[in-house]
Amino acid sequence: IAGKETQLIIKMNHLARFMVCIMSGARSKLALFLCGCYVVALGAHTGEECVAKHHEAESYVAAVYEHPSILSPNPLALTSRQQALELMNQNLDIYEQQVMTAAQKGVQIIVFPEDGIHGFNFTRTSIYPFLDFMPSPQVVRWNPCLEPHRFNDTEVLQRLSCMAIKGDMFLVANLGTKQPCHISDPGCPNDGRYQFNTDVVFSNNGTLVDRYRKHNLYFEAAFDVPHKVDHTTFDTPFAGRFGVFTCFDILFFNPAVRLLRDYEVKHVVYPTAWMNQLPLLAAIEIQKAFAVAFGVNVLAANVHHPVLGMTGSGIHTPLKSFWYHDMENPNGRLITARVAKNPVGLTDAENATGEMDSSHSKFLKILSGDPYCEKDAQEVHCDEATKWNRNALPTFHSEMMYDNFTLVPVWGKEGYLYVCSNGLCCYLLYKRPTLSEELYALGVFDGLHTVHGTYYIQVCALVRCGGLGFDTCGQEITEATGIFEFHLWGNFSTSYIFPLFLTSGMTLDVPDQLGWENDHYFLRKSGLSSGLVTAALYGRLYERD
C-alpha cells in the first residue's frame, strides 16, 4: 500500500475507529462486514484481529468473588458501632484488594457475596451496630465517596463507592441497612426502624445506582421483609440491563422469575450465602440451572466457609460456566470471565444436526405410543414401546432433600423405566457402555416441600445412591463413575423447570437438548466426560406454595 491518497484514507479510518474488514471462509465467498477494529499507522489488520475486536464489542468482562469472610466471634453479643466497623473494615480491605486485582484484568462489573461484610447469625438487636443508613436511590441521587458527610452511619457505603471509582467498574455488594419508621406506619416494628438484608449497586463513578432488599429471608430474624417486593434492575453501558436478587430468592417467583418475565433482563447479579445440599441443591448446581432455564447470564458470588458447607460461586451462561467449589481449601477465589452481551440459550443452539440418532428416535416413539422398529441386516424387528425393559422392578421409598421420594433402581446396561407419584410420572430411557459397581435410581416427588422453607415442587431425578442399599438413595455424594446416554422426561404441570446436572468431582455439565415433546418436558444427554452424580428436572409450582 503506497501513495498519499491511501495514507489519507487510512488516517481517516483511524480517526473514525472502524474499517471494512474482508473475511474469507474455506467454502464461502468473500464477506464484508463492519467491526470495531481499525488501522494503526500503515499496518493492516488480519481477519483474526477483526474477529477479536468484534467479539470484544459483543461481550463484557465480569468478576465474582467467593469470600472467606471474617466473622464476629460472638454475633449474639452487643457491640458498639466502632467495634462493628473495625470488623467490617477487615472484610472491606479484602474486597478492595480484589477490586484492584479485577481492574488489572479489565473487569467491568464485580459481584460480592451475601453477608460477606458483616457476617450472620445475629439477633435483631445485636446486628444494629453493623447497619448502614440507606436513603432510597429513587428519591436521592448520591455518590457516597464524593459526598461522605451527607448522611450519618454510611461508612460501609462510602468505602464501596470509593472502590467502584478506584477500580473503574460497576460494583455489587451486600450489607445490612436500617430505615427509621414512624409509629403511624402500621408495619413499623416496635423499635422504630426497619432492618433489611440489602444488595447495593454502584456505577463506575461511585454513584449509588440502586438497591435490592431481600424478600425471601432464610431464617434471618435480624431482618424485616419489605412491604413491597423490590424488582430491582439497573442499566449498564457495556451490557444493557441487569437484575438483582439474593440467595433463597432464586427458588421463588418474586422477585426472580418476575424480573426475567417482565423487565427484559438478560443478566443477573446474585449475592448469596448458600449452604450446599446434595443431590439437588448445591450452590453451583442451582445457579447453572437458573441460567439454562431462563437463557440468561448469572453472576453468582457465595461466601466461603467449607466447615458450614458454604462454597460455590460462578459466572454462568446458558452454555458455559466458570465456577469455584472447594470444600477443602480455606481460601476464597476471584473468578473472571468474558461474557456475551446477548446470551445464547440452550434451545437456540441445540439440534443443528440433520439426521436423528436412534436413541432420540426411540424416545419419540415411546412418547407417541408407537412400536419401535430396528433394522438388523435384512430383517426388521419391532417391539411395543411400552414393554421395553420394563420388567417388574421393585418400587421403594427413600428420603432425598427431606422429601419422601418414590424410586426404582436403574439396573442393566440399557432400559426404559418409569415411576409415578401423585400426578407426576418420570421416565428414563438409557444405555450404559459399561456397568459400574454403583447403584443408581430414578426418583419422583410431587408435593409440598416443608423443611427449611415451604414450597411446592415436582422432581424427576436420576441419582447415584450413597451405597448399594435402597435406603442410601438420596444421600449426599460427590464422586461417581457411572456413564450414561439417556433421555429423562416427565409430564410436568409447570413450565418452570430447572435442569440440574452434576458429574463426578462437583463438575457442571450441560444437557445436549431440553424441551417439550407431546406435553412432556425432557432432558437429553450423551457423551458424559465423567461419572454421573445427578441429572434432574426440578419443577416449581409457585401457585401451590
Side-chain angles (χ1 to χ4, degrees), residues 423-427 443-446 456-461 488-499 514-523 535-541 543-544:
L424 177 64
C425 288
C426 301
Y427 304 83
V444 59
F445 181 80
D446 180 1
Y456 200 102
I457 56 176
Q458 289 185 328
V459 183
C460 293
L488 173 68
W489 71 99
N491 61 331
F492 289 88
S493 305
T494 177
S495 60
Y496 298 108
I497 302 167
F498 300 89
L514 288 168
W516 289 94
E517 191 73 51
N518 285 6
D519 296 324
H520 290 71
Y521 194 80
F522 74 94
L523 179 159
L537 297 170
Y538 192 89
R540 281 287 284 114
L541 282 76
E543 68 277 8
R544 297 190 193 177

mmCIF file of all heavy atoms in Angstrom, residues 423-427 443-446 456-461 488-499 514-523 535-541 543-544:
data_model
loop_
_atom_site.group_PDB
_atom_site.id
_atom_site.type_symbol
_atom_site.label_atom_id
_atom_site.label_comp_id
_atom_site.label_asym_id
_atom_site.label_seq_id
_atom_site.Cartn_x
_atom_site.Cartn_y
_atom_site.Cartn_z
ATOM 1 N N GLY A 423 -49.615 -36.866 40.576
ATOM 2 C CA GLY A 423 -49.909 -36.725 39.151
ATOM 3 C C GLY A 423 -48.699 -36.747 38.257
ATOM 4 O O GLY A 423 -48.825 -36.661 37.038
ATOM 5 N N LEU A 424 -47.510 -36.881 38.842
ATOM 6 C CA LEU A 424 -46.278 -36.788 38.052
ATOM 7 C C LEU A 424 -45.697 -38.171 37.783
ATOM 8 O O LEU A 424 -45.469 -38.953 38.712
ATOM 9 C CB LEU A 424 -45.234 -35.933 38.788
ATOM 10 C CG LEU A 424 -43.867 -35.796 38.113
ATOM 11 C CD1 LEU A 424 -43.986 -35.069 36.772
ATOM 12 C CD2 LEU A 424 -42.893 -35.059 39.024
ATOM 13 N N CYS A 425 -45.435 -38.457 36.520
ATOM 14 C CA CYS A 425 -44.719 -39.673 36.136
ATOM 15 C C CYS A 425 -43.393 -39.275 35.480
ATOM 16 O O CYS A 425 -43.341 -38.394 34.623
ATOM 17 C CB CYS A 425 -45.543 -40.505 35.163
ATOM 18 S SG CYS A 425 -46.955 -41.332 35.921
ATOM 19 N N CYS A 426 -42.327 -39.954 35.903
ATOM 20 C CA CYS A 426 -40.984 -39.695 35.386
ATOM 21 C C CYS A 426 -40.518 -40.913 34.598
ATOM 22 O O CYS A 426 -40.751 -42.063 35.016
ATOM 23 C CB CYS A 426 -40.010 -39.417 36.529
ATOM 24 S SG CYS A 426 -40.469 -38.008 37.564
ATOM 25 N N TYR A 427 -39.818 -40.660 33.495
ATOM 26 C CA TYR A 427 -39.412 -41.714 32.586
ATOM 27 C C TYR A 427 -37.914 -41.600 32.315
ATOM 28 O O TYR A 427 -37.352 -40.502 32.267
ATOM 29 C CB TYR A 427 -40.163 -41.606 31.261
ATOM 30 C CG TYR A 427 -41.670 -41.614 31.398
ATOM 31 C CD1 TYR A 427 -42.352 -40.445 31.712
ATOM 32 C CD2 TYR A 427 -42.406 -42.782 31.204
ATOM 33 C CE1 TYR A 427 -43.746 -40.432 31.824
ATOM 34 C CE2 TYR A 427 -43.788 -42.787 31.313
ATOM 35 C CZ TYR A 427 -44.454 -41.610 31.630
ATOM 36 O OH TYR A 427 -45.818 -41.610 31.745
ATOM 37 N N GLY A 443 -36.004 -41.366 40.570
ATOM 38 C CA GLY A 443 -36.926 -40.974 41.630
ATOM 39 C C GLY A 443 -37.896 -39.899 41.198
ATOM 40 O O GLY A 443 -37.623 -39.115 40.277
ATOM 41 N N VAL A 444 -39.043 -39.857 41.898
ATOM 42 C CA VAL A 444 -40.068 -38.865 41.621
ATOM 43 C C VAL A 444 -40.594 -38.304 42.938
ATOM 44 O O VAL A 444 -40.725 -39.028 43.926
ATOM 45 C CB VAL A 444 -41.230 -39.469 40.790
ATOM 46 C CG1 VAL A 444 -41.873 -40.644 41.519
ATOM 47 C CG2 VAL A 444 -42.286 -38.417 40.469
ATOM 48 N N PHE A 445 -40.872 -36.997 42.932
ATOM 49 C CA PHE A 445 -41.572 -36.365 44.060
ATOM 50 C C PHE A 445 -42.470 -35.274 43.511
ATOM 51 O O PHE A 445 -42.041 -34.453 42.693
ATOM 52 C CB PHE A 445 -40.597 -35.764 45.069
ATOM 53 C CG PHE A 445 -41.289 -35.125 46.253
ATOM 54 C CD1 PHE A 445 -41.766 -35.907 47.293
ATOM 55 C CD2 PHE A 445 -41.483 -33.749 46.309
ATOM 56 C CE1 PHE A 445 -42.419 -35.334 48.378
ATOM 57 C CE2 PHE A 445 -42.130 -33.169 47.388
ATOM 58 C CZ PHE A 445 -42.601 -33.962 48.429
ATOM 59 N N ASP A 446 -43.722 -35.273 43.966
ATOM 60 C CA ASP A 446 -44.704 -34.287 43.549
ATOM 61 C C ASP A 446 -45.462 -33.857 44.790
ATOM 62 O O ASP A 446 -46.385 -34.544 45.234
ATOM 63 C CB ASP A 446 -45.644 -34.912 42.506
ATOM 64 C CG ASP A 446 -46.711 -33.939 42.004
ATOM 65 O OD1 ASP A 446 -46.710 -32.775 42.443
ATOM 66 O OD2 ASP A 446 -47.547 -34.359 41.183
ATOM 67 N N TYR A 456 -43.749 -25.742 46.716
ATOM 68 C CA TYR A 456 -44.248 -26.911 46.002
ATOM 69 C C TYR A 456 -43.308 -27.248 44.841
ATOM 70 O O TYR A 456 -42.976 -26.393 44.026
ATOM 71 C CB TYR A 456 -45.658 -26.662 45.464
ATOM 72 C CG TYR A 456 -46.403 -27.937 45.159
ATOM 73 C CD1 TYR A 456 -47.371 -28.433 46.021
ATOM 74 C CD2 TYR A 456 -46.118 -28.669 43.998
ATOM 75 C CE1 TYR A 456 -48.042 -29.619 45.747
ATOM 76 C CE2 TYR A 456 -46.774 -29.855 43.718
ATOM 77 C CZ TYR A 456 -47.739 -30.323 44.596
ATOM 78 O OH TYR A 456 -48.402 -31.504 44.327
ATOM 79 N N ILE A 457 -42.928 -28.524 44.766
ATOM 80 C CA ILE A 457 -42.005 -28.958 43.722
ATOM 81 C C ILE A 457 -42.500 -30.219 43.025
ATOM 82 O O ILE A 457 -43.241 -31.029 43.600
ATOM 83 C CB ILE A 457 -40.583 -29.222 44.273
ATOM 84 C CG1 ILE A 457 -40.613 -30.242 45.429
ATOM 85 C CG2 ILE A 457 -39.933 -27.926 44.717
ATOM 86 C CD1 ILE A 457 -39.227 -30.605 45.946
ATOM 87 N N GLN A 458 -42.115 -30.360 41.778
ATOM 88 C CA GLN A 458 -42.241 -31.607 41.022
ATOM 89 C C GLN A 458 -40.847 -31.957 40.527
ATOM 90 O O GLN A 458 -40.216 -31.144 39.833
ATOM 91 C CB GLN A 458 -43.186 -31.445 39.832
ATOM 92 C CG GLN A 458 -44.654 -31.311 40.201
ATOM 93 C CD GLN A 458 -45.548 -31.287 38.967
ATOM 94 O OE1 GLN A 458 -45.166 -30.796 37.908
ATOM 95 N NE2 GLN A 458 -46.760 -31.819 39.101
ATOM 96 N N VAL A 459 -40.364 -33.152 40.871
ATOM 97 C CA VAL A 459 -38.976 -33.510 40.571
ATOM 98 C C VAL A 459 -38.894 -34.895 39.936
ATOM 99 O O VAL A 459 -39.476 -35.860 40.449
ATOM 100 C CB VAL A 459 -38.101 -33.482 41.843
ATOM 101 C CG1 VAL A 459 -36.645 -33.800 41.484
ATOM 102 C CG2 VAL A 459 -38.205 -32.147 42.555
ATOM 103 N N CYS A 460 -38.168 -34.976 38.830
ATOM 104 C CA CYS A 460 -37.728 -36.248 38.261
ATOM 105 C C CYS A 460 -36.213 -36.273 38.374
ATOM 106 O O CYS A 460 -35.544 -35.360 37.865
ATOM 107 C CB CYS A 460 -38.120 -36.362 36.794
ATOM 108 S SG CYS A 460 -39.896 -36.483 36.496
ATOM 109 N N ALA A 461 -35.654 -37.301 39.019
ATOM 110 C CA ALA A 461 -34.217 -37.293 39.296
ATOM 111 C C ALA A 461 -33.592 -38.663 39.069
ATOM 112 O O ALA A 461 -34.093 -39.676 39.557
ATOM 113 C CB ALA A 461 -33.969 -36.855 40.741
ATOM 114 N N LEU A 488 -34.327 -38.242 29.968
ATOM 115 C CA LEU A 488 -35.096 -38.167 31.212
ATOM 116 C C LEU A 488 -36.267 -37.219 30.954
ATOM 117 O O LEU A 488 -36.058 -36.101 30.474
ATOM 118 C CB LEU A 488 -34.213 -37.640 32.349
ATOM 119 C CG LEU A 488 -34.881 -37.332 33.693
ATOM 120 C CD1 LEU A 488 -35.356 -38.611 34.366
ATOM 121 C CD2 LEU A 488 -33.913 -36.571 34.606
ATOM 122 N N TRP A 489 -37.498 -37.651 31.270
ATOM 123 C CA TRP A 489 -38.632 -36.769 30.997
ATOM 124 C C TRP A 489 -39.786 -37.031 31.971
ATOM 125 O O TRP A 489 -39.811 -38.029 32.692
ATOM 126 C CB TRP A 489 -39.077 -36.882 29.546
ATOM 127 C CG TRP A 489 -39.756 -38.152 29.119
ATOM 128 C CD1 TRP A 489 -41.101 -38.367 28.985
ATOM 129 C CD2 TRP A 489 -39.136 -39.383 28.698
ATOM 130 N NE1 TRP A 489 -41.352 -39.637 28.526
ATOM 131 C CE2 TRP A 489 -40.171 -40.278 28.338
ATOM 132 C CE3 TRP A 489 -37.799 -39.811 28.595
ATOM 133 C CZ2 TRP A 489 -39.922 -41.573 27.880
ATOM 134 C CZ3 TRP A 489 -37.550 -41.096 28.149
ATOM 135 C CH2 TRP A 489 -38.589 -41.966 27.796
ATOM 136 N N GLY A 490 -40.735 -36.084 31.968
ATOM 137 C CA GLY A 490 -41.888 -36.205 32.851
ATOM 138 C C GLY A 490 -43.045 -35.354 32.370
ATOM 139 O O GLY A 490 -42.869 -34.403 31.595
ATOM 140 N N ASN A 491 -44.254 -35.682 32.842
ATOM 141 C CA ASN A 491 -45.465 -34.939 32.469
ATOM 142 C C ASN A 491 -45.712 -33.810 33.468
ATOM 143 O O ASN A 491 -46.673 -33.819 34.241
ATOM 144 C CB ASN A 491 -46.675 -35.874 32.391
ATOM 145 C CG ASN A 491 -46.974 -36.560 33.719
ATOM 146 O OD1 ASN A 491 -46.062 -36.787 34.529
ATOM 147 N ND2 ASN A 491 -48.236 -36.876 33.966
ATOM 148 N N PHE A 492 -44.842 -32.821 33.454
ATOM 149 C CA PHE A 492 -44.879 -31.741 34.440
ATOM 150 C C PHE A 492 -46.115 -30.854 34.272
ATOM 151 O O PHE A 492 -46.618 -30.668 33.160
ATOM 152 C CB PHE A 492 -43.613 -30.887 34.319
ATOM 153 C CG PHE A 492 -42.375 -31.567 34.803
ATOM 154 C CD1 PHE A 492 -41.621 -32.360 33.943
ATOM 155 C CD2 PHE A 492 -41.948 -31.435 36.115
ATOM 156 C CE1 PHE A 492 -40.476 -33.000 34.376
ATOM 157 C CE2 PHE A 492 -40.811 -32.065 36.567
ATOM 158 C CZ PHE A 492 -40.070 -32.859 35.696
ATOM 159 N N SER A 493 -46.566 -30.298 35.407
ATOM 160 C CA SER A 493 -47.721 -29.394 35.416
ATOM 161 C C SER A 493 -47.290 -27.941 35.436
ATOM 162 O O SER A 493 -48.122 -27.058 35.662
ATOM 163 C CB SER A 493 -48.595 -29.677 36.645
ATOM 164 O OG SER A 493 -48.976 -31.029 36.695
ATOM 165 N N THR A 494 -46.013 -27.671 35.246
ATOM 166 C CA THR A 494 -45.490 -26.309 35.283
ATOM 167 C C THR A 494 -44.521 -26.100 34.131
ATOM 168 O O THR A 494 -43.908 -27.055 33.630
ATOM 169 C CB THR A 494 -44.756 -26.032 36.615
ATOM 170 O OG1 THR A 494 -44.191 -24.717 36.585
ATOM 171 C CG2 THR A 494 -43.638 -27.048 36.858
ATOM 172 N N SER A 495 -44.388 -24.856 33.711
ATOM 173 C CA SER A 495 -43.402 -24.524 32.680
ATOM 174 C C SER A 495 -42.079 -24.092 33.299
ATOM 175 O O SER A 495 -41.100 -23.882 32.582
ATOM 176 C CB SER A 495 -43.939 -23.412 31.780
ATOM 177 O OG SER A 495 -44.200 -22.248 32.539
ATOM 178 N N TYR A 496 -42.049 -23.958 34.629
ATOM 179 C CA TYR A 496 -40.828 -23.508 35.314
ATOM 180 C C TYR A 496 -40.047 -24.731 35.792
ATOM 181 O O TYR A 496 -40.277 -25.261 36.885
ATOM 182 C CB TYR A 496 -41.182 -22.575 36.475
ATOM 183 C CG TYR A 496 -41.877 -21.315 36.019
ATOM 184 C CD1 TYR A 496 -43.232 -21.105 36.259
ATOM 185 C CD2 TYR A 496 -41.178 -20.340 35.305
ATOM 186 C CE1 TYR A 496 -43.872 -19.952 35.818
ATOM 187 C CE2 TYR A 496 -41.809 -19.190 34.862
ATOM 188 C CZ TYR A 496 -43.150 -19.003 35.126
ATOM 189 O OH TYR A 496 -43.775 -17.862 34.689
ATOM 190 N N ILE A 497 -39.141 -25.184 34.949
ATOM 191 C CA ILE A 497 -38.392 -26.420 35.204
ATOM 192 C C ILE A 497 -36.904 -26.124 35.093
ATOM 193 O O ILE A 497 -36.435 -25.568 34.097
ATOM 194 C CB ILE A 497 -38.796 -27.521 34.201
ATOM 195 C CG1 ILE A 497 -40.311 -27.784 34.299
ATOM 196 C CG2 ILE A 497 -38.016 -28.806 34.471
ATOM 197 C CD1 ILE A 497 -40.840 -28.618 33.152
ATOM 198 N N PHE A 498 -36.157 -26.506 36.119
ATOM 199 C CA PHE A 498 -34.730 -26.209 36.202
ATOM 200 C C PHE A 498 -33.930 -27.505 36.012
ATOM 201 O O PHE A 498 -34.080 -28.444 36.797
ATOM 202 C CB PHE A 498 -34.407 -25.579 37.554
ATOM 203 C CG PHE A 498 -35.155 -24.299 37.797
ATOM 204 C CD1 PHE A 498 -36.406 -24.311 38.400
ATOM 205 C CD2 PHE A 498 -34.624 -23.086 37.395
ATOM 206 C CE1 PHE A 498 -37.118 -23.139 38.600
ATOM 207 C CE2 PHE A 498 -35.322 -21.901 37.597
ATOM 208 C CZ PHE A 498 -36.571 -21.933 38.194
ATOM 209 N N PRO A 499 -33.082 -27.574 34.984
ATOM 210 C CA PRO A 499 -32.287 -28.780 34.740
ATOM 211 C C PRO A 499 -31.038 -28.812 35.632
ATOM 212 O O PRO A 499 -30.152 -27.965 35.496
ATOM 213 C CB PRO A 499 -31.912 -28.662 33.264
ATOM 214 C CG PRO A 499 -31.917 -27.195 32.993
ATOM 215 C CD PRO A 499 -32.912 -26.567 33.919
ATOM 216 N N LEU A 514 -32.954 -29.833 25.616
ATOM 217 C CA LEU A 514 -34.048 -29.672 26.569
ATOM 218 C C LEU A 514 -35.278 -29.231 25.800
ATOM 219 O O LEU A 514 -35.160 -28.562 24.780
ATOM 220 C CB LEU A 514 -33.728 -28.584 27.611
ATOM 221 C CG LEU A 514 -32.692 -28.846 28.687
ATOM 222 C CD1 LEU A 514 -32.345 -27.533 29.377
ATOM 223 C CD2 LEU A 514 -33.208 -29.852 29.707
ATOM 224 N N GLY A 515 -36.467 -29.568 26.303
ATOM 225 C CA GLY A 515 -37.653 -29.025 25.645
ATOM 226 C C GLY A 515 -38.893 -29.845 25.899
ATOM 227 O O GLY A 515 -38.871 -30.844 26.632
ATOM 228 N N TRP A 516 -39.973 -29.389 25.297
ATOM 229 C CA TRP A 516 -41.268 -30.064 25.414
ATOM 230 C C TRP A 516 -41.520 -30.941 24.194
ATOM 231 O O TRP A 516 -41.190 -30.562 23.076
ATOM 232 C CB TRP A 516 -42.389 -29.033 25.525
ATOM 233 C CG TRP A 516 -42.419 -28.300 26.832
ATOM 234 C CD1 TRP A 516 -41.843 -27.091 27.112
ATOM 235 C CD2 TRP A 516 -43.035 -28.742 28.039
ATOM 236 N NE1 TRP A 516 -42.072 -26.754 28.423
ATOM 237 C CE2 TRP A 516 -42.810 -27.734 29.025
ATOM 238 C CE3 TRP A 516 -43.761 -29.867 28.411
ATOM 239 C CZ2 TRP A 516 -43.281 -27.840 30.334
ATOM 240 C CZ3 TRP A 516 -44.240 -29.972 29.707
ATOM 241 C CH2 TRP A 516 -44.003 -28.976 30.655
ATOM 242 N N GLU A 517 -42.073 -32.105 24.441
ATOM 243 C CA GLU A 517 -42.463 -33.016 23.381
ATOM 244 C C GLU A 517 -43.705 -33.763 23.849
ATOM 245 O O GLU A 517 -43.679 -34.455 24.875
ATOM 246 C CB GLU A 517 -41.326 -34.000 23.086
ATOM 247 C CG GLU A 517 -41.511 -34.817 21.823
ATOM 248 C CD GLU A 517 -41.302 -33.998 20.553
ATOM 249 O OE1 GLU A 517 -40.269 -33.310 20.441
ATOM 250 O OE2 GLU A 517 -42.187 -34.047 19.681
ATOM 251 N N ASN A 518 -44.819 -33.587 23.139
ATOM 252 C CA ASN A 518 -46.083 -34.266 23.498
ATOM 253 C C ASN A 518 -46.457 -34.053 24.963
ATOM 254 O O ASN A 518 -46.761 -35.011 25.693
ATOM 255 C CB ASN A 518 -45.992 -35.777 23.194
ATOM 256 C CG ASN A 518 -46.091 -36.072 21.713
ATOM 257 O OD1 ASN A 518 -46.113 -35.156 20.897
ATOM 258 N ND2 ASN A 518 -46.132 -37.339 21.363
ATOM 259 N N ASP A 519 -46.410 -32.811 25.402
ATOM 260 C CA ASP A 519 -46.804 -32.437 26.776
ATOM 261 C C ASP A 519 -45.889 -33.027 27.845
ATOM 262 O O ASP A 519 -46.284 -33.136 29.015
ATOM 263 C CB ASP A 519 -48.256 -32.836 27.072
ATOM 264 C CG ASP A 519 -49.239 -32.091 26.182
ATOM 265 O OD1 ASP A 519 -48.983 -30.902 25.890
ATOM 266 O OD2 ASP A 519 -50.250 -32.699 25.767
ATOM 267 N N HIS A 520 -44.705 -33.433 27.476
ATOM 268 C CA HIS A 520 -43.696 -33.913 28.427
ATOM 269 C C HIS A 520 -42.438 -33.052 28.262
ATOM 270 O O HIS A 520 -42.061 -32.716 27.138
ATOM 271 C CB HIS A 520 -43.346 -35.379 28.187
ATOM 272 C CG HIS A 520 -44.441 -36.332 28.542
ATOM 273 N ND1 HIS A 520 -45.598 -36.450 27.801
ATOM 274 C CD2 HIS A 520 -44.554 -37.222 29.582
ATOM 275 C CE1 HIS A 520 -46.377 -37.375 28.350
ATOM 276 N NE2 HIS A 520 -45.773 -37.850 29.424
ATOM 277 N N TYR A 521 -41.806 -32.736 29.390
ATOM 278 C CA TYR A 521 -40.555 -31.987 29.337
ATOM 279 C C TYR A 521 -39.401 -32.968 29.465
ATOM 280 O O TYR A 521 -39.405 -33.842 30.345
ATOM 281 C CB TYR A 521 -40.486 -30.948 30.457
ATOM 282 C CG TYR A 521 -39.384 -29.932 30.262
ATOM 283 C CD1 TYR A 521 -39.563 -28.855 29.403
ATOM 284 C CD2 TYR A 521 -38.157 -30.059 30.912
ATOM 285 C CE1 TYR A 521 -38.547 -27.915 29.198
ATOM 286 C CE2 TYR A 521 -37.145 -29.126 30.719
ATOM 287 C CZ TYR A 521 -37.346 -28.059 29.858
ATOM 288 O OH TYR A 521 -36.340 -27.148 29.657
ATOM 289 N N PHE A 522 -38.386 -32.839 28.588
ATOM 290 C CA PHE A 522 -37.317 -33.838 28.576
ATOM 291 C C PHE A 522 -35.939 -33.201 28.616
ATOM 292 O O PHE A 522 -35.738 -32.044 28.233
ATOM 293 C CB PHE A 522 -37.442 -34.746 27.345
ATOM 294 C CG PHE A 522 -37.033 -34.105 26.041
ATOM 295 C CD1 PHE A 522 -35.737 -34.266 25.553
ATOM 296 C CD2 PHE A 522 -37.938 -33.352 25.300
ATOM 297 C CE1 PHE A 522 -35.352 -33.677 24.359
ATOM 298 C CE2 PHE A 522 -37.556 -32.763 24.102
ATOM 299 C CZ PHE A 522 -36.265 -32.919 23.628
ATOM 300 N N LEU A 523 -34.991 -33.986 29.072
ATOM 301 C CA LEU A 523 -33.567 -33.672 29.089
ATOM 302 C C LEU A 523 -32.852 -34.825 28.411
ATOM 303 O O LEU A 523 -33.098 -35.996 28.736
ATOM 304 C CB LEU A 523 -33.081 -33.500 30.525
ATOM 305 C CG LEU A 523 -31.605 -33.177 30.812
ATOM 306 C CD1 LEU A 523 -31.481 -32.550 32.202
ATOM 307 C CD2 LEU A 523 -30.704 -34.413 30.748
ATOM 308 N N ALA A 535 -28.745 -36.063 37.586
ATOM 309 C CA ALA A 535 -29.413 -35.436 36.445
ATOM 310 C C ALA A 535 -30.874 -35.325 36.848
ATOM 311 O O ALA A 535 -31.527 -36.339 37.118
ATOM 312 C CB ALA A 535 -29.255 -36.260 35.180
ATOM 313 N N ALA A 536 -31.391 -34.123 36.916
ATOM 314 C CA ALA A 536 -32.746 -33.952 37.430
ATOM 315 C C ALA A 536 -33.463 -32.815 36.734
ATOM 316 O O ALA A 536 -32.848 -31.853 36.265
ATOM 317 C CB ALA A 536 -32.713 -33.696 38.937
ATOM 318 N N LEU A 537 -34.770 -32.931 36.687
ATOM 319 C CA LEU A 537 -35.659 -31.860 36.249
ATOM 320 C C LEU A 537 -36.417 -31.404 37.486
ATOM 321 O O LEU A 537 -37.188 -32.173 38.069
ATOM 322 C CB LEU A 537 -36.604 -32.357 35.155
ATOM 323 C CG LEU A 537 -35.906 -32.798 33.863
ATOM 324 C CD1 LEU A 537 -36.886 -33.491 32.925
ATOM 325 C CD2 LEU A 537 -35.245 -31.608 33.170
ATOM 326 N N TYR A 538 -36.166 -30.175 37.912
ATOM 327 C CA TYR A 538 -36.658 -29.638 39.178
ATOM 328 C C TYR A 538 -37.739 -28.607 38.863
ATOM 329 O O TYR A 538 -37.436 -27.467 38.487
ATOM 330 C CB TYR A 538 -35.498 -29.008 39.943
ATOM 331 C CG TYR A 538 -35.751 -28.660 41.397
ATOM 332 C CD1 TYR A 538 -35.504 -29.592 42.398
ATOM 333 C CD2 TYR A 538 -36.201 -27.391 41.759
ATOM 334 C CE1 TYR A 538 -35.709 -29.275 43.735
ATOM 335 C CE2 TYR A 538 -36.395 -27.065 43.089
ATOM 336 C CZ TYR A 538 -36.150 -28.015 44.078
ATOM 337 O OH TYR A 538 -36.353 -27.682 45.403
ATOM 338 N N GLY A 539 -38.975 -29.008 38.962
ATOM 339 C CA GLY A 539 -40.085 -28.141 38.614
ATOM 340 C C GLY A 539 -40.630 -27.396 39.820
ATOM 341 O O GLY A 539 -40.720 -27.949 40.915
ATOM 342 N N ARG A 540 -40.981 -26.136 39.598
ATOM 343 C CA ARG A 540 -41.564 -25.314 40.674
ATOM 344 C C ARG A 540 -42.975 -24.893 40.293
ATOM 345 O O ARG A 540 -43.205 -24.329 39.215
ATOM 346 C CB ARG A 540 -40.701 -24.071 40.914
ATOM 347 C CG ARG A 540 -39.463 -24.327 41.725
ATOM 348 C CD ARG A 540 -39.778 -24.561 43.214
ATOM 349 N NE ARG A 540 -40.098 -23.285 43.873
ATOM 350 C CZ ARG A 540 -41.295 -22.974 44.363
ATOM 351 N NH1 ARG A 540 -42.305 -23.810 44.282
ATOM 352 N NH2 ARG A 540 -41.484 -21.809 44.938
ATOM 353 N N LEU A 541 -43.927 -25.194 41.189
ATOM 354 C CA LEU A 541 -45.305 -24.755 41.027
ATOM 355 C C LEU A 541 -45.551 -23.656 42.050
ATOM 356 O O LEU A 541 -46.007 -23.886 43.174
ATOM 357 C CB LEU A 541 -46.278 -25.925 41.231
ATOM 358 C CG LEU A 541 -46.409 -26.900 40.048
ATOM 359 C CD1 LEU A 541 -45.203 -27.826 39.956
ATOM 360 C CD2 LEU A 541 -47.686 -27.707 40.158
ATOM 361 N N GLU A 543 -47.647 -21.312 42.333
ATOM 362 C CA GLU A 543 -49.013 -21.009 42.760
ATOM 363 C C GLU A 543 -49.506 -21.955 43.852
ATOM 364 O O GLU A 543 -50.526 -21.685 44.497
ATOM 365 C CB GLU A 543 -49.969 -21.059 41.556
ATOM 366 C CG GLU A 543 -50.188 -22.439 40.959
ATOM 367 C CD GLU A 543 -49.097 -22.877 39.980
ATOM 368 O OE1 GLU A 543 -48.070 -22.170 39.879
ATOM 369 O OE2 GLU A 543 -49.275 -23.925 39.329
ATOM 370 N N ARG A 544 -48.800 -23.055 44.089
ATOM 371 C CA ARG A 544 -49.209 -24.006 45.132
ATOM 372 C C ARG A 544 -48.398 -23.852 46.421
ATOM 373 O O ARG A 544 -48.542 -24.661 47.343
ATOM 374 C CB ARG A 544 -49.076 -25.441 44.631
ATOM 375 C CG ARG A 544 -49.978 -25.768 43.449
ATOM 376 C CD ARG A 544 -49.976 -27.269 43.181
ATOM 377 N NE ARG A 544 -50.578 -27.589 41.893
ATOM 378 C CZ ARG A 544 -50.652 -28.829 41.403
ATOM 379 N NH1 ARG A 544 -50.153 -29.848 42.086
ATOM 380 N NH2 ARG A 544 -51.208 -29.039 40.216
#
